[in-house]
Amino acid sequence: MPPKRKRKGGSQDTSSKKVKQNEQENMSSMQKYFKSALNCVDMPSNKDQAFSNKRCESFFHKYADSNLSLIGPHGVEKLCQDLEVQPEDIVMLVLSWKLGAENMGWYKLAEWKTGMTSIECDNISKLKNKIPSLRGLLKDPSSFKKIFRYAFDFARDKEQKSLDIDTGKAMLQLLLESWHLVADFIQFLNQSRYKIINRDQWNSLLEFIKTVDTADFSGYDDEGAWPVMLDEFVEWHKEKSTMS
């Protein structure tokens, strides 16, 4: 019989098996490593997730009246509690402006979805985190002017073209808290003949504060185009200062 020949490639087969075994061991080690790493990483919470229209609508219905597709005064109060702010906090006015809300104390679903989409908030955590940036808008002159003008229509009775004087005074104290003469202006209104504030008077007051040095009213032109209300305020304040 011819001598048996050695099988070729025996060592190669053994080497191949060892390579595959090492690859499997390495793969197993990598899988264990990444699995362990993933367990150590906090998964994104709801507040970090991308904006969702569905979550936004659910967010709305959390505060909406059960019989209406509206968030009413009770819902707004609950929202304020969850945000840990008072209903009269000016940041709620800024939020209403962002939502484009037409009526004080009421939010429509369409307003909510449009506004919350613009600020990318679909839950209370996101909205709560957004509060500082909403407040920051009050420091931007362009945004503040828009908010100031928005407040007139937001606060007025929609059946009236003007703002009743008591509501107007309350809104001015809220918006012009940093103006050093706001208390004097409210005092002037209290003793004046005015029962309403019209749009021109409202808008002009902000321009008056921005352009006139109210420390001594230098540069104020009583022959200018200012509303009579402001002429009377300047005259009243000068007389008051003279008497004191």
Side-chain angles (χ1 to χ4, degrees), residues 179-181 184 208-209 212-218 237-238 241:
W179 183 36
H180 71 287
L181 289 183
D184 286 0
F208 171 82
I209 294 169
V212 175
D213 183 356
T214 51
D216 57 4
F217 297 106
S218 60
H237 196 275
K238 286 180 177 179
S241 298

Side-chain angles (χ1 to χ4, degrees), residues 83-95:
L83 291 173
E84 298 181 351
V85 300
Q86 295 298 318
E88 63 271 17
D89 192 314
I90 194 171
V91 78
M92 293 305 295
L93 175 64
V94 180
L95 175 61

Side-chain angles (χ1 to χ4, degrees), residues 99-112:
L99 298 180
E102 293 181 358
N103 298 294
M104 185 183 295
W106 299 89
Y107 297 139
K108 299 175 184 176
L109 176 58
E111 295 169 345
W112 183 272

Side-chain angles (χ1 to χ4, degrees), residues 23-89:
E23 288 178 348
Q24 290 174 349
E25 289 176 353
N26 289 337
M27 183 62 71
S28 178
S29 297
M30 290 174 66
Q31 288 173 340
K32 289 178 180 179
Y33 170 79
F34 284 116
K35 186 175 181 180
S36 175
L38 286 171
N39 287 334
C40 296
V41 174
D42 292 331
M43 298 304 290
S45 62
N46 285 340
K47 68 179 182 179
D48 298 320
Q49 293 176 357
F51 179 85
S52 162
N53 284 316
K54 185 176 180 180
R55 280 198 304 271
C56 180
E57 196 162 330
S58 296
F59 185 27
F60 173 85
H61 287 295
K62 179 180 178 181
Y63 301 100
D65 292 348
S66 57
N67 298 327
L68 299 169
S69 290
L70 286 170
I71 295 177
H74 293 298
V76 173
E77 185 176 356
K78 187 175 186 303
L79 175 64
C80 290
Q81 290 174 352
D82 291 346
L83 291 173
E84 298 181 351
V85 300
Q86 295 298 318
E88 63 271 17
D89 192 314

